[in-house]
Amino acid sequence: MTHRITLIPGDGIGPELAEATRRVLDASGPTFHWDVVDAGEAVMAEYGTPLPEHVLESIRRNRVALKGPITTPVGEGFRSVNVTLRQVLNLYANVRPARSMKGLDARYQNVDLVIVRENTEDLYAGIEHMVGRDAAESIKIITREASERIARYAFDYAVANGRHTVTAVHKANIMKLSDGLFLESCRTVAAEYEGRVEFQDRIVDNMCMQLVQKPEQYDMLVAPNLYGDIISDLAAGLVGGLGVAPGANIGLEAAVFEAVHGSAPKYAGQNKANPTALILSGVLMLRHLHEQEAADRVETALREVIADGRDVTYDLGGSAGTSEMADAIIRRLGAPAHA
Ligand code: NAD
């Protein structure tokens, strides 16, 4: 069976990471047909938008996409392509695992967290306006429907993956209505899973401190959009940095797999950036495609290369380039069982 995948190389370091990831996945066993489409800064001049309609059509058709990071202008210019994609395709669940790996110079060696971030609303709804010249308002949208849906996704994920505790992250002591509704929705859903998955909640500031002090005590976190975004970068920092943090955006009709990190423009085109985060996003994609054996093989080969430490990029203390690290992973993959 051939998997048809939309591949969006992205901006900055995106294209070189996408190429490295594509080569590793092609060597992992399953057959892929890559539908390569561009989005972001590079297509603005040609299409007048960073997210042309044919890119969305390709994802809708293939239902699965692997995406490099896309630059978002700060404070002006076009709206984030990343946020727009999630909203237009209703990719409501952003799943970001943070897991320790041997060989990484990280503060902790025993972290195994999965962060489930609501991906469609909260302050990312993009409803902002000026109030006169000297004040600005951003509107935070929290709905029962989206909150229950993300909580259910987290609990279902826990059941399917043998996880034991879901912690809801919020600031309901201050935002009693919006975060209060999020927490209430999580509690409602948690009741359906009683006896199977434990539930607890933490106020977001306390959560940050707890994660820095004792991350090994947490299993799965579920959070509204903004807290989920911040906490997942924090969790990435606990296990070795943005270079190793993968992500998945999951909806009912499509799924888009991408690293947590951005386009790191200062490293673009230098064959320096770490491909681990996008390759691990590819592993999440393989699991989504039910290619468990290939996913295990890529993950094992990647972990071996990192533990060995000779063929890793600068951020992991090595001197290998992006493509040399991918070569080392491919060498360790060996032949697929059914080849
Ligand atoms: P960034 O993640 O691009 O880079 C921050 C720093 O992290 C880099 O300078 C680099 O030191 C390190 N880093 C990141 N990825 C790395 C990798 N693969 N290997 C080695 N080191 C790596 O964050 P930023 O500088 O805040 O954002 C740059 C652009 O990316 C912005 O336009 C931002 O909007 C965009 N962005 C896009 C996405 C996305 O596409 N989903 C996510 C975050 C940021």
Side-chain angles (χ1 to χ4, degrees):
M1 178 190 172
T2 300
H3 298 290
R4 290 188 73 93
I5 310 288
T6 299
L7 180 65
I8 306 172
D11 295 319
I13 55 175
E16 46 206 295
L17 299 183
E19 182 53 26
T21 303
R22 165 154 79 163
R23 289 200 293 118
V24 170
L25 295 179
D26 277 338
S28 74
T31 311
F32 297 98
H33 174 89
W34 301 99
D35 190 6
V36 182
V37 286
D38 288 318
E41 272 181 327
V43 301
M44 269 303 280
E46 192 178 343
Y47 296 98
T49 166
L51 185 56
E53 191 50 39
H54 69 266
V55 174
L56 287 168
E57 272 166 24
S58 170
I59 303 175
R60 286 196 181 104
R61 197 171 49 242
N62 296 326
R63 301 171 69 94
V64 179
L66 184 67
K67 175 186 157 296
I70 291 179
T71 301
T72 308
V74 175
E76 53 173 21
F78 61 79
R79 232 184 127 210
S80 163
V81 171
N82 312 305
V83 174
T84 309
L85 258 182
R86 295 168 195 159
Q87 286 172 347
V88 172
L89 297 171
N90 204 5
L91 305 173
Y92 67 92
N94 188 191
V95 184
R96 293 176 162 184
R99 202 168 151 207
S100 300
M101 277 194 267
K102 195 163 164 259
L104 289 183
D105 182 19
R107 289 185 185 273
Y108 297 93
Q109 296 303 329
N110 48 359
V111 177
D112 184 4
L113 279 168
V114 176
I115 296 157
V116 176
R117 163 192 175 195
E118 203 290 324
N119 224 2
T120 62
E121 53 180 31
D122 192 356
L123 283 160
Y124 288 66
I127 308 170
E128 282 195 308
H129 50 254
M130 294 302 294
V131 182
R133 270 169 48 96
D134 299 320
E137 252 178 22
S138 292
I139 298 188
K140 169 165 165 143
I141 310 272
I142 299 282
T143 65
R144 191 183 304 281
E145 186 189 356
S147 303
E148 287 192 0
R149 183 174 61 177
I150 198 67
R152 191 158 282 115
Y153 184 90
F155 279 94
D156 284 342
Y157 185 104
V159 171
N161 293 279
R163 297 263 167 182
H164 52 83
T165 308
V166 172
T167 305
V169 184
H170 62 88
K171 188 82 181 169
N173 51 331
I174 303 297
M175 280 158 278
K176 294 180 192 296
L177 297 184
S178 53
D179 283 22
L181 179 57
F182 179 80
L183 178 57
E184 184 192 319
S185 304
C186 290
R187 285 191 175 130
T188 305
V189 172
E192 296 170 23
Y193 293 81
E194 213 177 319
R196 289 186 289 163
V197 182
E198 297 286 311
F199 175 70
Q200 58 183 6
D201 71 278
R202 295 284 182 275
I203 292 172
V204 61
D205 36 355
N206 179 30
M207 185 79 248
C208 291
M209 191 204 64
Q210 302 253 339
L211 283 177
V212 169
Q213 286 196 327
K214 39 189 175 184
E216 70 285 352
Q217 293 190 1
Y218 291 87
D219 183 26
M220 287 190 65
L221 311 180
V222 62
N225 210 335
L226 180 61
Y227 310 145
D229 192 13
I230 296 168
I231 279 188
S232 48
D233 267 40
L234 190 158
L238 298 175
V239 297
L242 281 174
V244 299
N249 299 285
I250 310 280
L252 294 179
E253 262 135 53
V256 177
F257 297 84
E258 64 177 336
V260 171
H261 65 70
S263 56
K266 70 178 175 191
Y267 294 121
Q270 296 175 32
N271 190 35
K272 268 188 87 167
N274 186 350
T276 300
L278 197 59
I279 293 173
L280 284 176
S281 304
V283 169
L284 297 177
M285 185 183 88
L286 289 171
R287 298 202 191 285
H288 179 81
L289 295 168
H290 305 293
E291 295 284 4
Q292 301 299 350
E293 191 215 321
D296 290 345
R297 291 173 61 244
V298 173
E299 195 166 355
T300 303
L302 176 61
R303 282 176 175 269
E304 284 174 7
V305 166
I306 291 176
D308 176 76
R310 274 176 298 181
D311 298 300
V312 295
T313 46
Y314 80 95
D315 57 314
L316 304 184
S319 57
T322 310
S323 59
E324 289 70 32
M325 186 166 172
D327 292 339
I329 296 164
I330 292 167
R331 281 197 299 276
R332 287 195 184 246
L333 272 175
H338 58 272

